């Protein structure tokens, strides 16, 4: 469940902005007033009365805050996942603050969402067949050229053109690698240059390896 954090200058401003959630004495059960604690109070040794001496008061973020289950209300500054206490959208400067009181069963500390899923790691190597097949899928080479590469080691025209643009002393090693290797390593020293000559950025080359690994 997502809670929506609303921020106002004070409670009077909040009441004017959200009259439908305000009764004469209090806020409705669906809307919860909260305080954003930014630092805990510090206490020293007990004094003569036996009570710990207050060194620093609890720090709170200025303003008046409400948690509401409804989206797009006036004053909304963040969305918070109830079960984890993560900020899923909005003001990430709230990170590290503690909601007081925390909602039932929720985490007291606000943390930034993990965000969108990260891309899968690039496979260290793919087979020569996978590489040729993926280039054919992308239209860089023909299907016939992909089959000839997999069956006989013939280099497709686009690959030959790329190799011809390498420094002269690198052309023979590149042809040997591309025609005879049964696996292509992503981090091979020749791979970035050949990828660029075929028109691919490093990010695109990574996508080729990921997609080819699934073939």
């Amino acid at each position: 469940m997502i809670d929506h954090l609303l921020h106002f200058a004070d409670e009077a401003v909040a009441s004017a902005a959200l009259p439908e959630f305000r009764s004469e004495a209090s806020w409705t059960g669906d809307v919860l007033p909260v305080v954003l604690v930014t630092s805990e109070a510090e206490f020293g040794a007990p004094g003569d009365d036996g009570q710990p001496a207050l060194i620093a008061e609890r720090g709170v973020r200025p303003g008046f805050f409400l948690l509401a289950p409804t989206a797009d209300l006036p004053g909304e500054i963040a969305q918070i996942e109830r079960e984890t206490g993560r900020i899923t959208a909005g003001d990430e400067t709230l990170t590290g603050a503690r909601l007081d009181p925390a909602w039932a069963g929720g985490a007291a500390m606000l943390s930034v969402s993990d965000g969108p899923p990260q891309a899968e790691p690039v496979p260290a190597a793919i087979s020569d067949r996978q590489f040729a097949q993926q280039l054919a899928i992308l239209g860089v080479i023909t299907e016939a050229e992909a089959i000839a590469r997999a069956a006989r080691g013939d280099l497709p025209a686009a690959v030959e053109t790329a190799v011809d643009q390498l420094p002269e002393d690198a052309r023979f090693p590149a042809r040997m690698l591309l025609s005879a290797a049964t696996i292509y390593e992503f981090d091979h020293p020749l791979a970035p240059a050949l990828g660029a000559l075929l028109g691919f950025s490093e990010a695109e080359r990574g996508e080729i390896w990921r997609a080819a690994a699934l073939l």
Side-chain angles (χ1 to χ4, degrees):
M1 179 176 177
I2 298 296
D3 279 296
H4 302 268
L5 184 66
L6 318 179
H7 180 214
F8 302 93
D10 54 40
E11 188 168 6
V13 174
S15 298
L18 302 168
E20 67 273 30
F21 295 103
R22 180 72 180 182
S23 67
E24 185 174 332
S26 64
W27 295 92
T28 68
D30 290 337
V31 173
L32 175 67
V34 292
V35 173
L36 267 62
V37 179
T38 56
S39 62
E40 301 299 337
E42 295 183 33
F43 295 91
D48 295 339
D49 59 359
Q51 299 298 316
L54 178 64
I55 297 175
E57 293 187 353
R58 180 180 68 165
V60 297
R61 187 141 174 164
F64 180 78
F65 295 89
L66 293 169
L67 276 178
T70 307
D72 300 323
L73 292 174
E76 181 171 335
I77 58 170
Q79 296 174 17
I80 302 168
E81 190 176 58
R82 179 178 294 233
E83 291 77 11
T84 65
R86 290 187 178 277
I87 299 170
T88 59
D91 188 354
E92 292 187 355
T93 65
L94 303 175
T95 301
R98 176 171 66 80
L99 289 176
D100 184 19
W103 55 82
M109 299 300 293
L110 300 185
S111 59
V112 178
S113 170
D114 290 334
Q118 299 299 307
E120 290 294 321
V122 176
I126 55 177
S127 72
D128 55 340
R129 190 272 303 168
Q130 288 172 320
F131 180 70
Q133 187 172 344
Q134 183 60 25
L135 288 188
I137 290 171
L138 295 173
V140 177
I141 65 177
T142 67
E143 291 183 4
E145 286 177 320
I147 293 170
R149 166 62 194 87
R152 301 188 301 273
D154 296 349
L155 294 187
V159 177
E160 277 283 11
T161 299
V163 171
D164 284 340
Q165 297 177 67
L166 291 172
E168 187 173 355
D169 60 352
R171 294 172 193 167
F172 176 66
R175 285 193 174 91
M176 287 295 298
L177 170 72
L178 292 167
S179 62
T182 57
I183 62 168
Y184 290 165
E185 298 175 355
F186 185 81
D187 290 330
H188 190 282
L190 281 173
L194 286 169
L197 290 171
L198 287 169
F200 298 112
S201 67
E202 278 298 279
E204 290 170 333
R205 193 166 68 88
E207 289 302 317
I208 290 173
W209 251 250
R210 292 188 188 96
L214 300 176
L215 298 175

